[in-house]
């Protein structure tokens, strides 16, 4: 796609029609690789005009940024700054985040995007790696930190450094799973038990007596 003066939209602003187009773009990438992701091919697959693609997403980097934003928006978490949560709600939100994160990272789309970014890493002017960080990982990190901070604000979590606490949580969830899958190792796609175990371990490290007494039988 050629560059035009269009600012990319955020994941929250995607219309149902644009979501459908992005789904087709992701499908093309997974099935055919980078070469399959052309303006003509996407317009044909999504049954829309090239002009619409330029209007919605701008250039190729804008389309990739939108695809990544669309993917990261599938990782749900608690996002209302200042709101309070109960202990069971905190556990629920942590488990939903962990499960969604694993689902997205282990999906064909994430693996295809990351493999493509790794393959382009040595090229001059390659932007996909930065897009994955800025539009993907950092947006997920930001929302998850807000959830963990809400847990501390309500007296359920105790830590000195928010970044350290979040990195611990992320590591408990993902460990080396993503690397192994990028290398082609097959994994189960049912991550419920792994998500619960990660949250339980996180609460063991950072949970207060208050969260353990109030969460009931939600986690082991």
């Amino acid at each position: 796609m050629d560059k035009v003066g269009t600012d990319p939209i955020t994941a929250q602003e995607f219309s149902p029609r644009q979501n459908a187009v992005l789904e087709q773009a992701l499908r093309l990438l997974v099935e055919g690789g980078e070469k399959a992701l052309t303006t003509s091919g996407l317009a044909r697959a999504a049954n829309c005009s090239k002009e619409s693609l330029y209007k919605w997403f701008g250039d190729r980097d804008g389309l990739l940024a939108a695809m990544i934003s669309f993917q990261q928006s599938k990782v749900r978490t608690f996002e209302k700054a200042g709101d309070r949560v109960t202990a069971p709600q905190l556990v629920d939100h942590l488990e939903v985040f962990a499960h969604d994160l694993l689902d997205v990272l282990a999906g064909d789309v994430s693996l295809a995007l990351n493999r493509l970014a790794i393959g382009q890493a040595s090229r001059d002017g390659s932007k996909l790696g930065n897009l994955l960080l800025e539009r993907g990982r950092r947006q997920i990190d930001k929302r998850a930190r807000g959830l963990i901070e809400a847990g501390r604000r309500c007296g359920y979590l105790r830590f000195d450094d928010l970044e350290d606490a979040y990195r611990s949580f992320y590591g408990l969830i993902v460990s080396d799973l993503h690397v192994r899958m990028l290398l082609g190792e097959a994994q189960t796609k049912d991550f419920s038990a792994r998500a619960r175990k990660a949250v339980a371990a996180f609460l063991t490290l950072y949970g207060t007596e208050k969260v353990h007494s109030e969460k009931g039988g939600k986690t082991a």
Side-chain angles (χ1 to χ4, degrees), residues 8-214:
I9 56 179
T10 64
Q12 290 75 21
E13 295 172 330
F14 295 147
S15 69
R17 180 68 178 115
Q18 290 162 346
N19 285 340
V21 171
L22 290 172
E23 288 281 14
Q24 289 298 321
L26 293 168
R27 182 185 62 79
L28 288 174
L29 180 66
V30 170
E31 294 180 356
E34 182 181 9
K35 293 181 179 179
L37 191 59
T38 64
T39 304
S40 297
L42 179 56
R44 185 165 53 252
N47 193 27
C48 68
S49 67
K50 294 181 183 179
E51 290 74 19
S52 293
L53 295 178
Y54 291 130
K55 177 181 178 181
W56 292 336
F57 308 117
D59 60 10
R60 181 179 176 81
D61 288 340
L63 174 62
L64 287 170
M67 292 164 65
I68 293 165
S69 294
F70 181 59
Q71 276 295 101
Q72 65 86 9
S73 69
K74 297 176 183 178
V75 182
R76 298 164 292 169
T77 191
F78 181 81
E79 298 182 55
K80 296 181 179 178
D83 279 9
R84 300 184 67 81
V85 292
T86 64
Q89 287 173 336
L90 176 64
V91 175
D92 279 338
H93 286 306
L94 290 171
E95 289 184 2
V96 165
F97 171 79
H99 195 286
D100 284 358
L101 179 63
L102 290 167
D103 272 344
V104 168
L105 290 179
D108 291 339
V109 169
S110 173
L111 295 175
L113 283 168
N114 278 275
R115 285 169 180 153
L116 181 58
I118 292 168
Q120 293 181 355
S122 61
R123 299 183 194 173
D124 292 337
S126 176
K127 298 180 180 179
L128 182 55
N130 286 332
L131 287 172
L132 282 170
L133 287 173
E134 293 295 333
R135 294 300 186 97
R137 173 68 185 270
R138 286 172 185 162
Q139 297 305 310
I140 291 171
D141 292 350
K142 180 180 178 180
R143 298 200 308 275
R145 289 191 196 99
L147 170 59
I148 293 173
E149 181 58 39
R152 177 167 67 173
R153 188 169 58 246
C154 294
Y156 298 129
L157 300 174
R158 182 184 295 111
F159 50 83
D160 295 323
D161 188 292
L162 174 59
E163 183 63 23
D164 285 346
Y166 172 63
R167 288 184 181 277
S168 295
F169 186 39
Y170 190 95
L172 289 167
I173 298 167
V174 179
S175 184
D176 64 345
L177 175 70
H178 200 214
V179 172
R180 299 204 314 271
M181 295 195 74
L182 285 169
L183 294 173
E185 181 177 311
Q187 296 286 334
T188 176
K189 294 300 179 72
D190 183 359
F191 295 115
S192 299
R194 187 184 180 104
R196 289 194 299 269
K197 184 177 180 180
V199 171
F202 180 68
L203 293 178
T204 297
L205 290 172
Y206 294 100
T208 64
E209 291 184 9
K210 181 179 180 182
V211 74
H212 290 296
S213 65
E214 293 184 14

